[in-house]
Amino acid sequence: MKTMTKKELFSQQEIAARVRELGYQISKDYNDRRIVLVGILKGAFVFMADLARNIACPCLVDFVRISSYGNQTVSSGNLDIIMDVSLPIEGKDVILVDDIVDTGLTLHQFREYLKDRNPNSLKTAALIDKTARREKFVEVDYCGFKVEDGFIVGYGLDCAEEFRNLDGLYLLEE
Ligand code: IMP
Ligand code: MG
């Protein structure tokens, strides 16, 4: 069994400051319009909880569960909707929230799926935009941090379900 070490990338304080900025930007852009935040479980649960509390507009929250990864660290590219949106989103201003964009397949495919339900507007937010393995272009309208590569855990992000509870973001290294 390989030993993995964690190297801190962003501290709790750095994340909090960045999430505050994103919330401020969203509040400004939506100018008191009512937003429906749709978070992709499980990874987005921490980011979305903090983001929602930094948005000054009226805000509804919903979660979906889609699976494309299993316990591997490489995306399979197949989107499997395990739990769908429960709020009506037709005519609504929706922000799709994910933890990290890697190949871009998850966010791209699910964004297309939501678009078919005719929201008034549809934007995306991701805590991390990881650029090295992008296969599908997807606009990240509200991005916390850009990183090149590496496997990141903490603040909701997992490796085989572990480390989601860490309050910082860490690079997992062998
Ligand atoms: P994509 O479809 O390749 O963009 O993968 C997106 C999903 O893969 C994210 O929502 C994460 O759940 C997972 N993922 C991708 N990279 C990482 C990482 O570095 N750490 C933890 N999860 C990741
Ligand atoms: Mg994950």
Side-chain angles (χ1 to χ4, degrees):
M1 179 135 172
K2 289 177 248 168
T3 335
M4 303 296 267
T5 56
K6 299 191 299 294
K7 191 180 116 201
E8 189 180 83
L9 276 183
F10 301 104
S11 68
Q12 183 180 18
Q13 289 74 18
E14 287 172 303
I15 300 167
R18 186 67 190 120
V19 174
R20 256 197 308 277
E21 288 175 352
L22 291 178
Y24 179 77
Q25 186 62 50
I26 291 171
S27 309
K28 232 172 72 178
D29 293 351
Y30 285 80
N31 191 24
D32 225 26
R33 261 151 59 209
R34 191 211 236 168
I35 302 169
V36 181
L37 292 176
V38 176
I40 301 177
L41 292 174
K42 298 176 191 175
F45 85 109
V46 180
F47 174 45
M48 186 146 129
D50 284 344
L51 185 64
R53 285 177 289 179
N54 280 286
I55 294 174
C57 311
C59 218
L60 306 185
V61 302
D62 204 351
F63 286 99
V64 295
R65 183 99 200 264
I66 49 196
S67 153
S68 61
Y69 256 61
N71 279 341
Q72 300 161 349
T73 52
V74 182
S75 177
S76 69
N78 294 322
L79 201 68
D80 206 359
I81 299 170
I82 298 165
M83 187 178 91
D84 207 343
V85 247
S86 64
L87 293 172
I89 58 166
E90 188 174 338
K92 303 287 169 28
D93 292 307
V94 177
I95 304 179
L96 185 54
V97 182
D98 204 359
D99 53 355
I100 181 167
V101 186
D102 183 13
T103 64
L105 290 169
T106 306
L107 202 60
H108 168 78
Q109 290 177 14
F110 198 70
R111 194 183 178 285
E112 291 300 302
Y113 174 79
L114 283 189
K115 219 166 83 184
D116 286 344
R117 300 212 185 164
N118 299 313
N120 179 54
S121 67
L122 179 56
K123 287 196 178 184
T124 54
L127 179 67
I128 303 163
D129 184 354
K130 188 163 79 174
T131 54
R133 292 193 301 181
R134 193 61 38 88
E135 285 175 32
K136 198 83 200 170
F137 172 79
V138 59
E139 187 87 52
V140 183
D141 300 292
Y142 302 101
C143 167
F145 304 102
K146 250 195 168 69
V147 302
E148 254 271 330
D149 206 359
F151 203 79
I152 301 164
V153 296
Y155 198 73
L157 286 84
D158 73 306
C159 180
E161 295 300 328
E162 289 201 71
F163 312 117
R164 293 193 197 274
N165 61 317
L166 302 177
D167 51 24
L169 282 164
Y170 297 83
L171 189 66
L172 211 54
E173 295 172 318
E174 277 180 33

